[in-house]
């Protein structure tokens, strides 16, 4: 059974039923269809969301117009362009639905209300962000210290939804491989 937003939060802080109601009243359910964007580079960002179903990716284009996938978001994860969200700046990344997605959106004002009304909300934010950062660092370290075959195996274990549904060129970009190298690895498996 997929994790709910409340079970994810409750892994970090105690979450009473009244706190769940408070959060729930501020969540806006939304459907993102495959190919739709939650956020586009250049937009100001005042929201974040939780992925209930589907698959998303974060990406940007470099100065030479090459696309780089920087993150896959699987069910049970929060997502936003955190720098843009916290600084009130234009986003440098886009977040795109790779499958039809059901998300729960919460805006910045509502998060500030949660910080004010829910004891330990700041602890949840810090713990969640810290855990996500450590997972990313661990994944990147494993990929960097591995050959292409082992890096792909690490990806398969860490991102099963993306491995199944994301286009090859996006996976290759995420792993820092050429699409040709990734095709060779997949054929060898």
């Amino acid at each position: 059974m997929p994790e709910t937003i409340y079970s994810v939060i409750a892994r970090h802080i105690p979450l009473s039923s009244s706190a769940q109601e408070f959060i729930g009243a501020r969540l806006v359910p939304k459907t993102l269809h495959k190919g739709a964007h939650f956020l586009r580079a250049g937009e100001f960002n005042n929201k974040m969301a939780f992925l209930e179903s589907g698959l998303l990716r974060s990406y940007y284009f470099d100065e030479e117009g090459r696309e780089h996938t920087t993150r896959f978001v699987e069910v049970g994860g929060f997502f936003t362009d955190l720098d843009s969200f916290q600084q009130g700046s234009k986003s440098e990344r886009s977040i795109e639905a790779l499958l039809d997605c059901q998300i729960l959106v919460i805006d910045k004002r509502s998060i500030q209300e949660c910080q004010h009304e829910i004891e330990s909300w700041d602890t949840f934010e810090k713990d969640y962000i810290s855990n996500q950062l450590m997972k990313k660092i661990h994944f990147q370290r494993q990929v960097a210290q591995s050959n292409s075959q082992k890096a792909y195996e690490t990806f398969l274990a860490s991102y099963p939804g993306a491995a199944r549904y994301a286009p090859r060129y996006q996976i290759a970009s995420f792993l820092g491989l050429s699409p040709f190298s990734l095709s060779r690895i997949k054929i060898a498996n």
Side-chain angles (χ1 to χ4, degrees), residues 39-46 81-92 108:
L39 179 67
R40 289 187 184 270
E43 293 178 347
F44 286 97
N45 178 28
N46 71 341
D81 178 333
L82 192 58
D83 188 46
S84 171
F85 179 80
Q86 290 183 332
Q87 303 302 319
S89 59
K90 289 183 180 180
S91 179
E92 295 182 5
K108 193 170 194 169

Side-chain angles (χ1 to χ4, degrees), residues 23-75:
I23 295 165
R26 284 147 183 81
L27 298 172
V28 179
K30 185 174 179 182
T31 299
L32 277 181
H33 293 289
K34 181 178 179 178
H37 284 77
F38 174 76
L39 179 67
R40 289 187 184 270
E43 293 178 347
F44 286 97
N45 178 28
N46 71 341
K47 62 190 183 280
M48 68 173 47
F50 180 83
L51 183 61
E52 291 189 298
S53 67
L55 177 68
L56 298 140
R57 74 169 178 131
S58 176
Y59 68 96
Y60 72 95
F61 289 95
D62 67 19
E63 294 163 353
E64 296 172 6
R66 290 184 301 238
E67 184 179 295
H68 299 274
T69 297
T70 58
R71 181 180 180 208
F72 289 104
V73 181
E74 299 204 342
V75 173

Side-chain angles (χ1 to χ4, degrees), residues 9 13 36 40 49 69-70 75 79 81 103 110 119 123 127 136 153 168 188:
I9 295 169
I13 61 171
R40 289 187 184 270
T69 297
T70 58
V75 173
F79 61 95
D81 178 333
I103 64 174
S110 294
E119 191 175 332
T123 300
D127 284 357
K136 185 171 180 96
E153 290 170 5
R168 246 181 232 171

Side-chain angles (χ1 to χ4, degrees), residues 130-148:
S130 176
N131 286 346
Q132 292 302 304
L133 181 59
M134 293 308 296
K135 284 180 187 177
K136 185 171 180 96
I137 289 169
H138 180 73
F139 175 81
Q140 288 176 333
R141 185 180 305 127
Q142 283 185 301
V143 168
Q145 295 174 347
S146 302
N147 62 33
S148 297

Side-chain angles (χ1 to χ4, degrees), residues 160-171:
R164 185 170 182 190
Y165 296 110
R168 246 181 232 171
Y169 78 94
Q170 293 172 359
I171 296 170

